[in-house]
Every structure is written in structure tokens, then in C-alpha cells.
Amino acid sequence: MTMGDDRSSMIDDRSSPPSPSKARLGCPRRGTPRSRALAGRILGLFGWRMLGTLPDVPRFVLIVAPHTSNWDFPLGIFAMFTVGLQLTWLGKHTLFRFPVRGLLRWLGGEPVDRAAPLGVVGAAIERFRDRPQWVLAIAPEGTRRRISHWKTGYHRVAHGAGVPILPVAIDYSRRVIEIGTLFEPTDDARADTAALRRRFTTAMARYPEQFATEP
């Protein structure tokens, strides 16, 4: 082979696209610019707006608080479509039946059997390990009813899977859905929960008297 042939070969190698396996994965997305704009307009019609920016990482646990009203779910869904985030929320497997099964999955739902050997936390950790891109949304309060403390399942999932936590506030006082900054979980679930709980205030809740006052 001549020197000219060798130079041509080198140029071809450098110009070839990177292997898909080496490509950097970012935040999982859904929708189109048009669908995102439409969802944002619908939020605006109800007097709500988005603040903050999604992190460009492929996997994380997204926690939503305060959670005191049935309205939190549709607001969260419209927020998901507005920012174009592909996320998952876990629901009882018995909910995913005809005729709503397809709709729930399209809205990000994924069935989980709470009686399974791994439990909900174990099943979520396994799914994180099996998927290069996955965002799981969890409400740390776990219920709209009044409770005194946050549940720590969200932390066990994030810590067990080795993924960060993204806090998102549904703030009724300002009618804003605000994306926070990533939080790296440590071995101390109590301290981490206290730190994350301080990012939310009672005034944000639709029903402040029902918001968990302790981490």
C-alpha cells in the first residue's frame, strides 16, 4: 500500500460515525416541539407555568411534592408533556386493565405487583439496572391524605440503583411547577430526606394542612 492510500484510509476512519454503544445517553425524551408547545399552552390556560431545566442525564428518580390534591396528577402529566420528558410512574397491576390499560401506559404508567418477592422498591431497582435510560417519578408522601413523615422508598430506590434524585415542586401559591437541581443520595436516608424536604414549603400545597411537616 502506498503512503497516499494509507492517508486516505486514515481520513475515512476519522470521519466514520461513532458506534451507537459509545454514544452518550441524555435525558429520555418524548413528543415533538408541537406537542410540547400545545401542552405548555394548556398549562397556561389554567394559569400555570414551568420553571427550571431538565438535567441531561439518562437515569434518575424524580420526586414530586407537595402531594395533597387530585389535581397534582393532571398537572404533573401536562408538565411532563410540556418539557418532553419520558418518565414512568408505577401503579398497582390491577389498575392496568381494559379499557384503560393502553391510556395509563401512554401516560407513563407501568404495572407492578406489590406482592411480588422483590417488592416495589426491588422491582424499581431492577428496572433501573436493566435500562440505560429511565426516569421514575415518585411522590414521597405516598398519599394525598395527611401524614407526618415522608416515606423513604424513593431514597431506597435511588440509592440502591445508584442514580440521583430530582426534586420537582407543584407550587399552588405561585401556580408554578418548578424543576430543581439534582441531589446525590448518600447512605444516610434520614439526613438526605431532611435536606430534600427543605426544598419544599407548606405554602406550596393546595391543602397546606395535609402536607407532611417532618422529613
Short mmCIF file of all heavy atoms in Angstrom, two decimals, residues 42 49 70 73-75 96 121 128 143 151-152 163 168 189 195 197:
data_model
loop_
_atom_site.label_atom_id
_atom_site.label_comp_id
_atom_site.label_asym_id
_atom_site.label_seq_id
_atom_site.Cartn_x
_atom_site.Cartn_y
_atom_site.Cartn_z
N ILE A 42 -51.81 24.69 27.24
CA ILE A 42 -52.90 24.22 28.10
C ILE A 42 -52.59 24.54 29.57
O ILE A 42 -53.47 25.00 30.32
CB ILE A 42 -53.11 22.70 27.91
CG1 ILE A 42 -53.63 22.43 26.49
CG2 ILE A 42 -54.09 22.16 28.95
CD1 ILE A 42 -53.74 20.95 26.15
N ARG A 49 -47.31 27.67 34.91
CA ARG A 49 -46.13 27.75 34.06
C ARG A 49 -45.03 26.86 34.63
O ARG A 49 -45.06 26.47 35.80
CB ARG A 49 -45.63 29.19 33.93
CG ARG A 49 -45.26 29.85 35.23
CD ARG A 49 -45.10 31.36 35.09
NE ARG A 49 -44.88 32.01 36.37
CZ ARG A 49 -43.67 32.29 36.86
NH1 ARG A 49 -42.58 31.99 36.18
NH2 ARG A 49 -43.54 32.88 38.05
N ASN A 70 -55.99 15.77 44.20
CA ASN A 70 -56.17 15.00 42.96
C ASN A 70 -55.67 15.76 41.74
O ASN A 70 -55.34 15.17 40.72
CB ASN A 70 -57.65 14.66 42.76
CG ASN A 70 -58.13 13.56 43.69
OD1 ASN A 70 -57.37 12.67 44.06
ND2 ASN A 70 -59.40 13.62 44.09
N PHE A 73 -51.95 15.12 39.87
CA PHE A 73 -51.66 14.17 38.79
C PHE A 73 -51.82 14.80 37.40
O PHE A 73 -50.88 14.74 36.59
CB PHE A 73 -52.53 12.92 38.92
CG PHE A 73 -52.25 11.88 37.86
CD1 PHE A 73 -51.12 11.09 37.93
CD2 PHE A 73 -53.11 11.71 36.78
CE1 PHE A 73 -50.85 10.14 36.95
CE2 PHE A 73 -52.86 10.77 35.80
CZ PHE A 73 -51.72 9.98 35.88
N PRO A 74 -52.98 15.41 37.07
CA PRO A 74 -53.08 16.01 35.73
C PRO A 74 -52.07 17.14 35.52
O PRO A 74 -51.55 17.30 34.42
CB PRO A 74 -54.53 16.52 35.65
CG PRO A 74 -55.01 16.56 37.06
CD PRO A 74 -54.27 15.49 37.79
N LEU A 75 -51.79 17.91 36.56
CA LEU A 75 -50.77 18.96 36.41
C LEU A 75 -49.41 18.35 36.10
O LEU A 75 -48.67 18.85 35.25
CB LEU A 75 -50.68 19.80 37.69
CG LEU A 75 -51.83 20.79 37.93
CD1 LEU A 75 -51.73 21.38 39.33
CD2 LEU A 75 -51.80 21.90 36.89
N PHE A 96 -54.21 -1.80 35.59
CA PHE A 96 -53.88 -1.83 34.18
C PHE A 96 -54.72 -2.90 33.46
O PHE A 96 -54.23 -3.93 33.02
CB PHE A 96 -52.38 -2.08 33.99
CG PHE A 96 -51.54 -0.91 34.42
CD1 PHE A 96 -51.29 -0.67 35.76
CD2 PHE A 96 -51.00 -0.03 33.49
CE1 PHE A 96 -50.52 0.41 36.17
CE2 PHE A 96 -50.24 1.06 33.89
CZ PHE A 96 -50.01 1.28 35.23
N VAL A 121 -39.89 -1.55 45.68
CA VAL A 121 -38.54 -0.97 45.67
C VAL A 121 -37.58 -1.86 44.90
O VAL A 121 -36.83 -1.39 44.04
CB VAL A 121 -38.03 -0.76 47.11
CG1 VAL A 121 -36.54 -0.40 47.11
CG2 VAL A 121 -38.83 0.34 47.81
N PHE A 128 -34.10 -0.13 36.84
CA PHE A 128 -33.02 0.83 36.60
C PHE A 128 -31.77 0.11 36.09
O PHE A 128 -31.10 0.59 35.17
CB PHE A 128 -32.68 1.58 37.89
CG PHE A 128 -33.40 2.89 38.05
CD1 PHE A 128 -34.31 3.08 39.07
CD2 PHE A 128 -33.17 3.93 37.16
CE1 PHE A 128 -34.98 4.29 39.21
CE2 PHE A 128 -33.83 5.15 37.29
CZ PHE A 128 -34.74 5.32 38.33
N THR A 143 -49.37 9.50 49.48
CA THR A 143 -50.83 9.61 49.55
C THR A 143 -51.22 11.07 49.62
O THR A 143 -50.41 11.92 50.02
CB THR A 143 -51.38 8.87 50.80
OG1 THR A 143 -52.80 9.06 50.87
CG2 THR A 143 -50.74 9.40 52.07
N LYS A 151 -42.30 9.05 53.18
CA LYS A 151 -41.88 7.67 53.06
C LYS A 151 -40.51 7.65 52.38
O LYS A 151 -40.19 8.49 51.56
CB LYS A 151 -42.90 6.87 52.26
CG LYS A 151 -44.27 6.81 52.93
CD LYS A 151 -45.25 5.97 52.15
CE LYS A 151 -46.59 5.90 52.87
NZ LYS A 151 -47.57 5.05 52.13
N THR A 152 -39.69 6.65 52.71
CA THR A 152 -38.31 6.64 52.22
C THR A 152 -38.07 5.68 51.06
O THR A 152 -36.94 5.44 50.67
CB THR A 152 -37.34 6.28 53.36
OG1 THR A 152 -37.70 5.00 53.90
CG2 THR A 152 -37.40 7.33 54.47
N VAL A 163 -28.54 6.11 41.35
CA VAL A 163 -28.96 7.21 40.48
C VAL A 163 -29.29 8.43 41.33
O VAL A 163 -29.64 8.31 42.51
CB VAL A 163 -30.18 6.83 39.61
CG1 VAL A 163 -29.84 5.64 38.72
CG2 VAL A 163 -31.40 6.52 40.48
N VAL A 168 -39.05 18.05 42.18
CA VAL A 168 -39.94 18.91 41.38
C VAL A 168 -41.09 19.36 42.28
O VAL A 168 -41.77 18.52 42.90
CB VAL A 168 -40.48 18.17 40.14
CG1 VAL A 168 -41.51 19.04 39.42
CG2 VAL A 168 -39.35 17.80 39.21
N ALA A 189 -30.27 8.01 54.80
CA ALA A 189 -31.58 8.34 54.24
C ALA A 189 -32.28 9.42 55.04
O ALA A 189 -32.96 10.28 54.48
CB ALA A 189 -32.45 7.08 54.19
N ALA A 195 -32.85 17.08 54.02
CA ALA A 195 -32.31 18.09 53.10
C ALA A 195 -33.26 18.31 51.93
O ALA A 195 -33.48 19.46 51.51
CB ALA A 195 -30.93 17.65 52.60
N ARG A 197 -36.53 17.63 51.89
CA ARG A 197 -37.80 18.18 52.40
C ARG A 197 -37.71 19.70 52.53
O ARG A 197 -38.71 20.40 52.34
CB ARG A 197 -38.12 17.52 53.75
CG ARG A 197 -39.30 18.12 54.52
CD ARG A 197 -40.60 18.02 53.74
NE ARG A 197 -41.69 18.64 54.48
CZ ARG A 197 -41.89 19.94 54.56
NH1 ARG A 197 -41.08 20.78 53.93
NH2 ARG A 197 -42.90 20.43 55.25
#
